[in-house]
Amino acid sequence: AKTSYNKDVSPAKYDEIYNDILDNCNYLEDYYSKLYDEIFPYEYHKPHEILFLDYYSKLANTIGFCKKELDDWYLLVSGKKTQRVALLHNNLQVDHFIKGEDDYLISFDNARTDTPVFDLVNFFKKTYNTLANTISINSNTTSFIFVI
């Protein structure tokens, strides 16, 4: 049985997604920039302010990375008229994988039809801390994970 298919999508949907994420990135960029400008001039800082100031450039670079990736994504999808959709589990967890003679995926209570990346992103969000402690992650992956 076929588990995925293409469905028609209007270009306005991609525009809406792009603008929504870009607005969020711009909001965060503006918020952190104002916070930096407010904290920086003081000669003595509280410990949480020092931590923020130390990591501000990494934060700013991560937001810039997100905006670049968003622009690259938009260039890829801006001309598309269809979108691949599939049955999503919509609640992937390690506990839902049953390993045996045959492998099973259980608990389809929250299943829906949508783009397959949602299952992966949500799974990764839930299991990131566990995975980060067991595998080595490079800086680009870390930036991407931070955004997710």
Side-chain angles (χ1 to χ4, degrees), residues 32-124:
Y32 289 124
S33 176
K34 285 179 183 176
L35 191 58
Y36 180 85
D37 291 342
E38 185 179 312
I39 293 172
F40 185 75
Y42 296 106
E43 187 172 348
Y44 299 104
H45 298 103
K46 297 174 185 169
H48 68 277
E49 293 171 339
I50 293 170
L51 188 63
F52 172 76
L53 293 172
D54 285 347
Y55 285 96
Y56 173 75
S57 64
K58 186 163 182 85
L59 188 59
N61 289 338
T62 300
I63 293 170
F65 171 80
C66 293
K67 290 168 91 171
K68 180 193 170 305
E69 292 298 311
L70 179 64
D71 289 340
D72 292 347
W73 169 81
Y74 188 69
L75 288 173
L76 286 172
V77 300
S78 60
K80 292 190 175 191
K81 294 181 177 28
T82 61
Q83 176 184 28
R84 181 175 169 252
V85 294
L87 176 65
L88 301 185
H89 186 272
N90 205 29
N91 190 21
L92 285 179
Q93 298 177 26
V94 174
D95 298 344
H96 292 167
F97 294 101
I98 306 296
K99 189 105 172 114
E101 190 174 306
D102 292 320
D103 298 333
Y104 294 97
L105 182 60
I106 61 169
S107 184
F108 279 86
D109 299 340
N110 299 321
R112 67 182 174 138
T113 302
D114 210 334
T115 186
V117 74
F118 287 126
D119 260 351
L120 297 174
V121 168
N122 289 331
F123 175 74
F124 206 65

